[in-house]
Amino acid sequence: MSVVFTVPNMTCGHCVKSITQAVQQAVPGATVEVDLSAHRVTVSPAGQAAAIEAAIREAGYDPQKQ
């Protein structure tokens, strides 16, 4: 199962890298898939959605859970 966030202020490759690293530090072993054009971040497993959201916020982005 996955959790999906829309991240409207994610606009470039640097954003993708920052978010991916932040999520993987917060949830070791997480799989992060990013669709930059759709501003969508999908993370598996979904069990730690709050930690994932917090990590994205701490990286400077505004995630909105779908």
Side-chain angles (χ1 to χ4, degrees):
M1 185 151 205
S2 301
V3 63
V4 179
F5 293 93
T6 299
V7 185
N9 60 335
M10 177 178 66
T11 59
C12 65
H14 174 74
C15 298
V16 171
K17 184 176 179 181
S18 294
I19 289 170
T20 300
Q21 288 178 340
V23 170
Q24 289 177 335
Q25 285 178 351
V27 184
T31 300
V32 182
E33 296 177 21
V34 178
D35 182 341
L36 185 58
S37 63
H39 302 279
R40 188 173 314 140
V41 177
T42 305
V43 182
S44 299
Q48 296 185 31
I52 294 164
E53 183 174 359
I56 296 172
R57 284 192 191 285
E58 288 176 21
Y61 301 91
D62 185 27
Q64 300 163 1
K65 189 174 176 188
Q66 291 188 331

